[in-house]
Structures are given as C-alpha cells and as structure tokens.
Amino acid sequence: MSFGTGDLVAGRGFDCDLVLDDSLVSRRHAVFRQLDGDEIEVEDLGSRNGILVNDVRIEGPARLRHGDRVKIGSQLLVLKDLQKIKPRASTSELSRCPACNEFVPAEDPVCRACGARLHAPSIAPSAPPRGAETLSQRPSGSFAVLAQLVDKVLGLGRFDEAERVLTNMLGSLLSAARGAEPPASSVDPGSLATAAHYALRLADALGKPAWLDQCVELYTAAGQLMPAPLIDELYRIASKVHYTNPRPLRAYVARLKSDATELGPAGRFLLQRLEGLERRVVSG
C-alpha cells in the first residue's frame, strides 16, 4: 500500500480505496490513517470479523510500524516504510524493477529483490536508436495511472478486468505506433515496455498464447528492439503456454532486419535471440 494524504478505506465495496474480494471482509472493513510525522494507524469500522495486527485483535485505533502485519478477513497486508527498504539514493538515481516493482539503484544490472535483469545492452555508442530503451524507464501521464490499475486488479486475481484494461492500453499504443512517422518518435519506451510486461504476465497467469502475440505485435508496430528482460520472459512463457504461432515473431524479426544497420553488436545479439525463439516456435 502507499499513502498520499488523508484516509485509505479497505473493504469489499467497490467504493473503497483498497478493494478486497473476500467473503470474510465487510463492505467497509477498516480505515488506515496517516498521522503527523508519517505515522500510520488502522481502525476497525465495525466489521463483522475484526482486524488482527501481528496476530492480535485490536479493539480501537492501533499505531503501525514498519513490518507490522494487518489481517483483514483472510487478506494479510504488510506495512512497509519505503525509506527503510529503498536504497539510499535520490529519486533520479532509482529505477523500478518491472518484475517485482521494487525500487533499485539505476546502475544495477539486476534487481536486488528478485534477480531480474534491468537493462538492455547499449545498442550504439551515440544517441540511443530505436530499441535502446530499458525496462527501468517509467510510463508517463495517464498511462501510468492505467498501469497502476492493472497492477491492482492483477494482485487481486481479477484477470477479466485486467484483460479489459490492458486491451485498451495496447490499443492506444498500437494506434500511436501505426499512425506515427517514424513510429518510435511518438511511442514512449517506458509505456511500451510496461504494456508488454503486463501482456506477458497475463499470458503466464491465464495460459493464453494470444497475449504473446499482442506483446510481439506491439513492438513490431513501434519498430523498437525489445529489451533483453522481455526476451527472456518471452522464451520462458512461450515454452510454458505451448506457443505455436510463428507469424508475429517472423514479422517482427523481418522488421528489425530491415533496420539492422542501426544495431550494434549487442542489438544484433538480441535480434539473434529473437530469431532463435522463432525457430523454436516453428519446430514446436
């Protein structure tokens, strides 16, 4: 959970700030309040099953500290103080891991929390050409709000809702990419990587190969080289969901080959990995 200012109400009702899809949770179950000095307290709102803080039922407002466990129904929430878990660095020196969403130093090659690779190799020594973006870049504007919504509904296991939101996200990005000249000039790399990351998460969770198609088609339309962490995920999930449609990958590889003169050694290596995945999909 994260706080801005004011109260955060948790419950089963859709008007709550934190919606918990749990039959043991009341419609308006609990409220988290941010007090002076960044302290947080939680209070039961007269719920049927009450609240446990560190396995003890509370009878009134309870102050919370970093690491405290709050149980609402069958849902366990853990309070984290970001100042205690973030690296000691300024915001400009941090990036967010696309795999686990933790903040890590921007210069780190892998995430300290989950081990995922964070950066694609440099494509060229000068200004980055198409495809030099990394997953550490953040989406901007209203897209970032949609990304937070997808994160929330995925965390609650509401995959149908996540699919609806992500379909709209991908549709807007595809329209921007297909209508731009050149495509990469109007497609934010952070938004592109975020949308593709969520598409792969859905493919993994639901076993739907169509979301792999969406991921590949998105990068094809944008004319950008997919970062190494996404290619790693493509390999893993393609095997898991028995991906057997080589056409999107074939079109993507052909698009990249047409711009191959812009790629340095690292970029050509990533292109070879995509060609290898295409061959694997063809061979079954």
Side-chain angles (χ1 to χ4, degrees), residues 123-124 129-131 181-184 219-225 251-264 267-268 271:
I123 302 296
R130 285 177 279 175
E181 187 58 44
Y219 269 92
T220 304
Q224 297 185 19
L225 180 60
Y252 181 41
V253 168
R255 175 79 186 264
L256 291 175
K257 282 184 174 180
S258 69
D259 295 330
T261 55
E262 297 183 15
L263 300 177
R268 289 194 293 271
L271 177 55

Side-chain angles (χ1 to χ4, degrees), residues 18-282:
L18 179 62
V19 180
L20 301 174
D21 188 12
D22 184 334
S23 61
L24 298 178
V25 174
S26 299
R27 193 182 69 80
R28 289 172 63 85
H29 196 113
V31 58
F32 293 86
R33 298 189 183 92
Q34 183 161 0
L35 308 176
D36 294 338
D38 293 330
E39 291 187 316
I40 303 295
E41 74 172 14
V42 63
E43 183 177 4
D44 188 9
L45 293 177
S47 67
R48 183 174 68 253
N49 293 311
I51 300 172
L52 299 181
V53 175
N54 298 327
D55 301 320
V56 177
R57 183 164 181 146
I58 63 171
E59 300 300 333
R63 296 285 180 98
L64 300 175
R65 297 177 298 175
H66 173 68
D68 280 349
R69 305 182 310 281
V70 180
K71 191 169 185 180
I72 301 175
S74 62
Q75 308 297 311
L76 182 63
L77 310 176
V78 180
L79 188 75
K80 294 291 184 69
D81 183 343
L82 292 181
Q83 297 304 317
K84 295 182 179 179
I85 63 175
K86 283 184 186 180
R88 296 293 181 179
S90 68
T91 302
S92 61
E93 297 170 333
L94 298 175
S95 61
R96 190 187 292 272
C97 173
C100 68
N101 219 34
E102 289 288 349
F103 285 97
V104 295
E107 68 273 11
D108 281 9
V110 298
C111 175
R112 298 181 180 184
C114 69
R117 280 200 283 171
L118 299 173
H119 303 283
S122 176
I123 302 296
S126 56
R130 285 177 279 175
E133 76 278 1
T134 74
L135 291 187
S136 63
Q137 292 176 290
R138 300 181 192 174
S140 58
S142 61
F143 193 95
V145 177
L146 287 175
Q148 291 174 1
L149 177 59
V150 174
D151 248 342
K152 179 177 179 180
V153 294
L154 282 175
L156 294 172
R158 286 151 44 183
F159 297 116
D160 289 345
E161 188 174 345
E163 285 190 290
R164 287 194 297 271
V165 177
L166 189 56
T167 296
N168 292 333
M169 290 168 65
L170 291 175
S172 64
L173 281 176
L174 282 169
S175 297
R178 289 168 177 165
E181 187 58 44
S185 64
S186 67
V187 179
D188 171 53
S191 298
L192 183 68
T194 298
H197 166 66
Y198 287 132
L200 292 179
R201 281 184 64 183
L202 275 176
D204 193 11
L206 301 177
K208 291 186 176 181
W211 283 106
L212 275 74
D213 291 343
Q214 294 283 328
C215 175
V216 175
E217 289 168 3
L218 185 61
Y219 269 92
T220 304
Q224 297 185 19
L225 180 60
M226 194 177 293
L230 280 179
I231 295 176
D232 291 342
E233 283 296 281
L234 266 178
Y235 265 87
R236 182 183 68 81
I237 298 171
S239 297
K240 181 178 178 179
V241 303
H242 307 296
Y243 188 47
T244 59
N245 179 17
R247 287 189 296 275
L249 272 169
R250 188 174 294 136
Y252 181 41
V253 168
R255 175 79 186 264
L256 291 175
K257 282 184 174 180
S258 69
D259 295 330
T261 55
E262 297 183 15
L263 300 177
R268 289 194 293 271
F269 171 73
L270 294 179
L271 177 55
Q272 289 171 358
R273 294 205 67 209
L274 289 165
E275 290 179 296
L277 180 58
E278 180 197 347
R279 290 192 296 271
R280 178 182 292 189
V281 170
V282 170

